[in-house]
Amino acid sequence: MHYAISHQSFEFPFLSTTPRKKVLKHSLICVKQGVMLVRLGKQEYAVEAGDDFWIPFDCLCALTFFPQTVIERVDFSVRLTNAFPAKPDMSSTLI
């Protein structure tokens, strides 16, 4: 990430997973279509179309994207001096 803030759109035509690891930047993920699962520890949270999920820097998590899922992701560098939330947004439905 070379910029303080970056925006990307992703489409997942097939089931896709990410490894469980600590993230290197703050991220806001907006699900536009489909379903995304976020694993935090032993808990999994479903993020459906129209929902957002905040993932703070240094958070240990894994993401699973169901087929036909479309997301928009905004990443914020840890070099920014703004006050960002330190805990994940867990307002989505617990599975």
Side-chain angles (χ1 to χ4, degrees):
M1 178 175 191
H2 302 303
Y3 300 103
I5 300 172
S6 69
H7 173 268
Q8 296 175 317
S9 294
F10 296 99
E11 183 175 342
F12 299 93
F14 306 106
L15 183 67
S16 179
T17 61
T18 64
R20 187 169 172 246
K21 62 180 181 178
K22 289 189 177 187
V23 294
L24 302 175
K25 55 196 166 234
H26 304 285
S27 297
L28 177 64
I29 300 175
C30 305
V31 178
K32 298 298 181 183
Q33 175 184 326
V35 177
M36 172 182 77
L37 293 180
V38 179
R39 182 170 186 217
L40 300 171
K42 294 181 180 181
Q43 305 294 324
E44 283 194 83
Y45 300 90
V47 184
E48 298 176 338
D51 292 340
D52 305 324
F53 198 86
W54 176 258
I55 302 174
F57 167 69
D58 212 28
C59 178
L60 183 63
C61 71
L63 304 175
T64 301
F65 302 98
F66 280 71
Q68 307 306 320
T69 298
V70 177
I71 67 164
E72 290 189 15
R73 182 178 183 139
V74 181
D75 295 323
F76 302 89
S77 172
V78 295
R79 296 174 296 173
L80 294 172
T81 58
N82 302 48
F84 292 106
K87 293 185 178 182
D89 172 16
M90 297 182 203
S91 61
S92 300
T93 307
L94 179 65
I95 292 182

